[in-house]
Amino acid sequence: MGEPLVVMEGIDKSFPGVHALDQCHFELLPGEVHALVGENGAGKSTLMKVLSGIYKAEAGRIVYKGKEVEIPNPRAAQQLGISMIHQELNLMPHLTVAQNIFIGREPRHHIRFMLDEKALNDQAQQVFALLHLNLDPRIKVADLTVAKQQMVEIAKALSFNAEVLIMDEPTAALTDTEIDELFRIIDDLRTKGVGVVHISHRLEELKQISDRVTVMRDGKYIDTVKTREASIDRIISMMVGRTIFEATPEVPEKPSEEIVLEAKNLTRGNLIKDVSFQLKKGEILGFSGLVGAGRTEVARAVFGADPIDSGEIYVKGIKVHIGSPNDAVKHGIGYLSEDRKRYGLALGMDVEENVVLAAFKKFLGAFGWVNRSKTRSTAEQYVKMLAVKTPSLQQKVRNLSGGNQQKVILGKWLTADTNILIFDEPTRGIDVGAKSEIYHLLNNLAQQGKSIIMISSELPEILRMSHRVVVMCEGRITGELNIAEATQEKIMQYATQRGEVLLVDEPAPTSAPLGDA
Amino acid sequence: MEAKTAPRSSLLRPERIQRFLAFGGLIALIVVFSLASQYFLKPDNIGGIFLATAVNGVLALGVTFVIINGGIDLSVGTVMTFSAVMTAQFITIWQMPVPVGILAGLLTGALCGLANGLMVTKMKVPPFVATLGMLYITKGLSLVVSQLKPIYFNDTPIFNQVAMGSVLGDLARVVIGVFDPSNPMVLEPLANPTIVDPIKNIVLVFFGAAIIAAFILGKTILGRYTFAMGSNVEATRLSGVNVDRWQTAIYTLCGLFAGLAGVIIGARLNSAQPALGAGYELDAIAAAVIGGTSLSGGEGSILGTVIGAFVISVLANGLRILSVPQEWQIVVTGTILVLAVYLDRRRKK
Ligand SMILES: Nc1ncnc2c1ncn2[C@@H]1O[C@H](COP(=O)(O)OP(=O)(O)OP(=O)(O)O)[C@@H](O)[C@H]1O
Ligand SMILES: [Mg+2]
């Protein structure tokens, strides 16, 4: 394939207490999709941030198209034709889609300092047309769903006519159709000779899209292999440095018949339409559906984070009023949010403080002050159990890698020790090793008699973990399946069952499954 | 299946609603006050309201930029005073021509703003602290330069005359004169002012400044980045925008507006009053906030701020006419401010 587009050699980068990159090596060819994998905190994002001018490496060199280059800031990277989509969404919610895409290089009027809004919208429209995206450039980003926002990020990165496109977990928040769409675009770019770096924890994805895979572990470069020639198992063992024994899915124990949580006819505008379900003691109830089906909305309503228009919630058979998350916690309900940055963590506080935040009362000593040794030992315990990669308990959560932040939230709700736990995409952005840890944990919790609602967009995860599956579409519950009868096909069928079809299938299915029609 | 998301009708966009809210409030105040007192709608009184709005309004224009950008500027009141003092220093003490003095005033404001910007971006001092420091610094400097005494523009009466004249009134007289040369408004303008005479020239300067500010905010790169940085600085930085430079520019612009306010207040009072100034920044921030500018950044508009500035001066004027004691006027202003933001929050929920 000729000369490499990018060669990174001997890259070194440290943060206080963390040797994030240790003599790292990376090579990207034109027209190649290069997957970058590794456990949470392995240094993938950091390495790519060095390439895109966000971090400056302490040692090493970058050769771009045969010439050694300095990349001191993002602007310099863009000018070279390197653009990066970050792990966290990086948009300006108050601006429109078009304004976001062209921020920093807006089309100008012939008077230089004036903006040409029309050209701006037209150019955005052209980018969308190229991507076959159906989006109004004048709409505000704040009004878009997360998936659409992700598409805007992608459109933005592509609009640079980038020759190197780095995508840090772009698929984490996308549905299968959207992922297909993205892969089609990536394929397109490949034929145009663009070099694409794809960071992902969904290893099946790599098989589908990538040409080569580079594996990193603990800030070190491990190896680069041709995707065709490497099995997923081999990649995993390179990632974790040992062969993990993928346990056969534990068949979850049968939950008891005691109903601990019941929602009746929850309704909230257009987002939640007449949703009813029951959760039993010791049960893992899977909530499946496409992104935007209203699962998170239901969870937030049950947790008191959003107001409902009507409907009732019963905890252990007693009707309760949940007007705020505080009420929910009092009734023993915990919610692990899907948007960790915005709702789940106090980013400026350290690991220990975050872990104990939701259960502070437990750690109060006689005179109302905090028992530090107790908070420390609890935090230590969860950091160890969840294998959170952090130099110390006093590290600010902001400085952890994306996946490790997710683990800290998990630890927080485990500490809170609530009886009903709602997990919203608990394994999003989490590496394989930690994923099976988390599955194990969920099973343990259920065995201890805790009841769990698990919202997940990954069907294998739903099928592996749940006792029962509730499927949502457009704010309604369209089906409910026992794990014995659930298959990917059946779930997908319910997940795409739109309003009109439902009308035919009267009466509306609130709890009973629809049958196999 | 063409589920193209239609843009919401532009009238119903949230920031417009807030502006309607502020505008509706302004109209309500005017109706109430004009019912309560016949004097309220007299041209002289309206002229007074406009005059009072001009100074606070110009300050609020600059502050609006800083707040949308996600910052705050507490120094505009005293920077205004310092600029007035410098103008007086140039014109009265150093006997420079009036235009040079005006330029010196504007420049003083811009330099103070530049200093604010550099403190925020280069020294990484939080805006609240940096501009609080500037508040003290300029307050002190005004007293130092003026040696604690007001400086009058006694040698240059033209400065005050131009500022407090009315181009609009003159224009009206010319028009009336063409049709009716013997009209008393034309023959004895002082005794028979036209209806637009109370609109002084400095009020026109305010409106001109507002139009320029609206243009900058809505149509230029600077305006776009003001919103972008207020919405998400990190994302703006990652997009390759030189955030520090633009932020410095925004504080400088705010300082420039404060300098203009200084020139205006100097001309209006025909003097530079070194002890004046503290407290003006709060009125300016209040005007912006009542007009729908969000203190968490990313949202706001010049039209909203202009309306907000009028709400404050109409309120002060009306309550004064109704003989409400001044201390109670302050209480009412505070209540209105909280109420405005509360309604804004309710709407967003
Ligand atoms: N700004 C920072 N300050 C301090 N430490 C940091 C900072 N950014 C990253 N790190 C640390 O560097 C290491 C590598 O982080 P990086 O984000 O590159 O991991 P990653 O491979 O992208 O992981 P993930 O899959 O979880 O996103 C981690 O231990 C992380 O805690
Ligand atoms: Mg990462």
Side-chain angles (χ1 to χ4, degrees):
Chain A
M1 269 203 243
E3 187 185 30
L5 207 49
V6 176
V7 179
M8 300 176 82
E9 269 172 8
I11 303 289
D12 239 77
K13 171 84 199 165
S14 295
F15 297 108
V18 188
H19 198 170
L21 297 176
D22 182 3
Q23 293 291 312
C24 258
H25 171 86
F26 184 75
E27 182 193 272
L28 181 68
L29 300 173
E32 137 179 275
V33 177
H34 196 133
L36 186 56
V37 300
E39 286 184 301
N40 296 131
K44 307 176 296 286
S45 301
T46 307
L47 183 65
M48 287 303 120
K49 283 180 182 170
V50 168
L51 182 56
S52 58
I54 292 161
Y55 292 147
K56 185 139 182 37
E58 284 130 22
R61 55 191 217 119
I62 302 174
V63 179
Y64 184 70
K65 291 188 187 164
K67 271 209 297 284
E68 187 167 342
V69 289
E70 287 281 318
I71 309 180
N73 53 44
R75 167 67 30 109
Q78 283 167 11
Q79 275 159 0
L80 287 173
I82 300 171
S83 85
M84 173 158 178
I85 301 169
H86 291 272
Q87 193 164 5
E88 303 81 29
L89 287 176
N90 262 303
L91 296 169
M92 287 132 283
H94 296 95
L95 300 192
T96 69
V97 169
Q99 289 169 354
N100 262 283
I101 290 179
F102 290 101
I103 186 78
R105 56 206 166 103
E106 332 8 52
R108 314 277 179 100
H109 209 260
H110 42 259
I111 310 171
R112 283 291 295 151
F113 57 84
M114 266 182 76
L115 298 163
D116 187 343
E117 208 69 25
K118 191 178 168 326
L120 180 78
N121 288 326
D122 289 351
Q123 288 181 20
Q125 198 71 67
Q126 282 165 21
V127 175
F128 294 155
L130 229 61
L131 302 178
H132 303 283
L133 263 183
N134 199 353
L135 209 59
D136 186 327
R138 289 162 304 169
I139 202 162
K140 274 200 181 170
V141 163
D143 297 335
L144 297 176
T145 60
V146 175
K148 280 267 164 58
Q149 292 181 356
Q150 181 74 54
M151 287 312 208
V152 173
E153 284 264 35
I154 293 166
K156 177 175 166 187
L158 292 178
S159 69
F160 283 98
N161 296 320
E163 289 178 75
V164 173
L165 179 63
I166 304 159
M167 298 197 268
D168 198 349
E169 300 195 37
T171 55
L174 300 188
T175 62
D176 287 346
T177 25
E178 285 160 339
I179 292 176
D180 286 346
E181 184 71 5
L182 175 64
F183 284 0
R184 188 188 54 68
I185 294 166
I186 292 180
D187 241 353
D188 236 34
L189 292 172
R190 170 160 42 197
T191 49
K192 286 183 191 145
V194 176
V196 179
V197 181
H198 183 86
I199 301 178
S200 176
H201 287 293
R202 298 186 175 183
L203 298 178
E204 329 80 65
E205 231 172 66
L206 307 184
K207 277 281 175 203
Q208 202 182 334
I209 189 73
S210 73
D211 302 306
R212 290 197 297 169
V213 184
T214 287
V215 182
M216 290 180 68
R217 184 171 74 230
D218 292 334
K220 294 193 188 68
Y221 168 83
I222 301 298
D223 200 3
T224 302
V225 293
K226 288 220 166 69
T227 312
R228 247 181 299 117
E229 294 161 9
S231 70
I232 287 190
D233 284 343
R234 165 134 179 261
I235 294 173
I236 291 176
S237 67
M238 283 195 288
M239 274 168 62
V240 298
R242 63 201 135 92
T243 335
I244 44 171
F245 163 66
E246 178 84 0
T248 42
E250 299 113 278
V251 182
E253 240 169 69
K254 194 116 188 75
S256 77
E257 285 306 305
E258 185 191 340
I259 292 168
V260 291
L261 175 75
E262 177 166 16
K264 277 191 185 161
N265 312 102
L266 296 186
T267 299
R268 174 168 176 241
N270 252 334
L271 300 169
I272 306 174
K273 296 174 196 153
D274 200 22
V275 164
S276 306
F277 64 88
Q278 298 176 335
L279 177 67
K280 293 174 191 149
K281 185 164 186 219
E283 179 180 48
I284 300 179
L285 177 64
F287 261 68
S288 187
L290 305 177
V291 173
R295 296 166 301 167
T296 296
E297 283 72 14
V298 169
R300 288 178 58 88
V302 171
F303 188 60
D306 292 328
I308 49 174
D309 301 338
S310 64
E312 290 161 3
I313 294 170
Y314 296 81
V315 173
K316 298 211 171 107
I318 299 160
K319 185 172 168 192
V320 295
H321 169 76
I322 296 182
S324 70
N326 189 11
D327 292 345
V329 173
K330 275 193 199 136
H331 290 296
I333 304 174
Y335 173 57
L336 193 130
S337 140
E338 72 174 326
D339 188 339
R340 49 186 173 238
K341 284 246 155 152
R342 203 135 41 115
Y343 306 115
L345 289 169
L347 287 172
M349 288 165 79
D350 65 30
V351 173
E352 179 178 330
E353 287 164 330
N354 269 284
V355 168
V356 299
L357 196 59
F360 225 59
K361 282 213 188 93
K362 279 210 235 161
F363 299 98
L364 292 185
F367 299 101
W369 46 61
V370 181
N371 184 339
R372 275 301 303 274
S373 64
K374 235 167 116 189
T375 60
R376 185 164 322 131
S377 63
T378 306
E380 240 158 36
Q381 177 196 339
Y382 284 112
V383 161
K384 203 143 134 223
M385 176 163 123
L386 299 170
V388 180
K389 199 157 177 272
T390 172
S392 78
L393 291 179
Q394 268 57 57
Q395 177 74 307
K396 297 244 177 308
V397 168
R398 175 177 293 119
N399 294 336
L400 296 188
S401 78
N404 282 306
Q405 292 181 349
Q406 181 79 331
K407 291 182 187 172
V408 172
I409 305 186
L410 211 64
K412 171 173 129 182
W413 286 112
L414 293 176
T415 310
D417 199 21
T418 43
N419 283 318
I420 300 166
L421 280 162
I422 308 174
F423 288 89
D424 202 345
E425 307 283 1
T427 62
R428 174 181 295 170
I430 285 203
D431 65 54
V432 273
K435 228 177 204 170
S436 49
E437 275 316 308
I438 287 173
Y439 292 155
H440 196 66
L441 208 88
L442 290 183
N443 276 327
N444 271 350
L445 290 171
Q447 261 158 30
Q448 287 164 27
K450 309 221 182 249
S451 310
I452 295 170
I453 292 176
M454 184 185 75
I455 300 173
S456 171
S457 299
E458 288 187 43
L459 287 178
E461 182 166 294
I462 286 275
L463 290 172
R464 169 174 170 175
M465 295 301 301
S466 329
H467 295 100
R468 229 161 17 109
V469 184
V470 165
V471 190
M472 287 190 68
C473 176
E474 294 181 343
R476 278 174 241 273
I477 291 186
T478 48
E480 189 185 309
L481 297 159
N482 269 318
I483 197 64
E485 49 174 349
T487 60
Q488 298 215 6
E489 292 69 35
K490 271 191 198 159
I491 291 178
M492 278 320 288
Q493 194 185 333
Y494 286 132
T496 51
Q497 195 154 30
R498 316 223 166 251
E500 313 84 66
V501 188
L502 262 182
L503 290 181
V504 186
D505 283 354
E506 291 286 12
T510 45
S511 57
L514 273 178
D516 310 60
Chain B
M1 73 165 254
E2 289 285 289
K4 196 157 190 160
T5 9
R8 275 179 284 167
S9 153
S10 60
L11 278 181
L12 288 179
R13 287 228 298 275
E15 65 269 22
R16 308 245 163 137
I17 296 180
Q18 170 68 11
R19 239 177 289 158
F20 277 133
L21 217 67
F23 193 61
L26 179 60
I27 300 292
L29 283 178
I30 292 173
V31 168
V32 168
F33 286 136
S34 46
L35 289 179
S37 158
Q38 313 168 339
Y39 180 70
F40 183 76
L41 282 183
K42 287 258 160 57
D44 272 352
N45 190 50
I46 293 180
I49 292 176
F50 273 100
L51 261 184
T53 313
V55 172
N56 181 36
V58 170
L59 286 180
L61 294 177
V63 167
T64 303
F65 279 85
V66 173
I67 297 181
I68 293 177
N69 169 245
I72 192 83
D73 191 342
L74 297 176
S75 68
V76 287
T78 51
V79 168
M80 167 187 84
T81 304
F82 185 45
S83 304
V85 168
M86 287 309 284
T87 305
Q89 183 72 17
F90 270 75
I91 296 177
T92 304
I93 311 285
W94 291 334
Q95 304 278 320
M96 301 274 202
V98 171
V100 174
I102 292 177
L103 255 167
L106 296 179
L107 204 65
T108 304
L111 283 176
C112 293
L114 178 66
N116 278 334
L118 292 177
M119 282 192 279
V120 170
T121 57
K122 295 286 175 249
M123 293 164 60
K124 308 286 174 210
V125 180
F128 192 97
V129 179
T131 59
L132 185 64
M134 185 56 74
L135 183 155
Y136 282 106
I137 293 170
T138 45
K139 190 174 169 180
L141 283 179
S142 299
L143 297 171
V144 171
V145 172
S146 66
Q147 296 167 349
L148 308 176
K149 291 187 301 285
I151 310 174
Y152 291 89
F153 294 101
N154 284 340
D155 309 335
T156 47
I158 179 102
F159 189 35
N160 177 262
Q161 279 161 15
V162 170
M164 297 299 278
S166 175
V167 174
L168 280 184
D170 296 341
L171 219 65
R173 264 184 293 283
V174 170
V175 174
I176 296 170
V178 170
F179 295 103
D180 180 10
S182 61
N183 190 309
M185 286 187 199
V186 181
L187 296 179
E188 289 173 74
L190 285 186
N192 300 289
T194 65
I195 188 147
V196 288
D197 266 312
I199 310 288
K200 308 294 184 208
N201 289 339
I202 56 177
V203 175
L204 297 186
V205 171
F206 163 49
F207 284 130
I211 290 168
I212 292 172
F215 173 81
I216 296 175
L217 192 60
K219 300 276 182 229
T220 69
I221 305 285
L222 179 63
R224 174 61 40 80
Y225 293 163
T226 304
F227 280 105
M229 290 185 289
S231 191
N232 186 345
V233 212
E234 201 43 37
T236 313
R237 192 196 312 278
L238 291 180
S239 304
V241 175
N242 190 336
V243 169
D244 285 358
R245 212 171 61 204
W246 290 104
Q247 242 161 18
T248 309
I250 288 166
Y251 280 95
T252 309
L253 182 69
C254 180
L256 181 64
F257 277 111
L260 178 61
V263 173
I264 292 178
I265 199 166
R268 182 181 155 196
L269 302 176
N270 199 25
S271 63
Q273 303 282 345
L276 204 82
Y280 274 72
E281 70 283 348
L282 298 182
D283 279 350
I285 294 168
V289 170
I290 290 174
T293 300
S294 157
L295 278 172
S296 42
E299 275 176 83
S301 72
I302 293 299
L303 182 58
T305 296
V306 171
I307 294 171
F310 271 105
V311 168
I312 289 180
S313 48
V314 163
L315 200 65
N317 178 283
L319 293 175
R320 190 163 352 108
I321 290 178
L322 299 184
S323 320
V324 175
Q326 178 148 26
E327 48 280 20
W328 281 104
Q329 293 175 25
I330 304 174
V331 174
V332 172
T333 309
T335 312
I336 296 271
L337 178 69
V338 175
L339 206 67
V341 174
Y342 167 70
L343 289 176
D344 188 39
R345 292 278 141 170
R346 283 258 321 238
R347 168 181 65 71
K348 273 187 199 138
K349 251 197 157 168

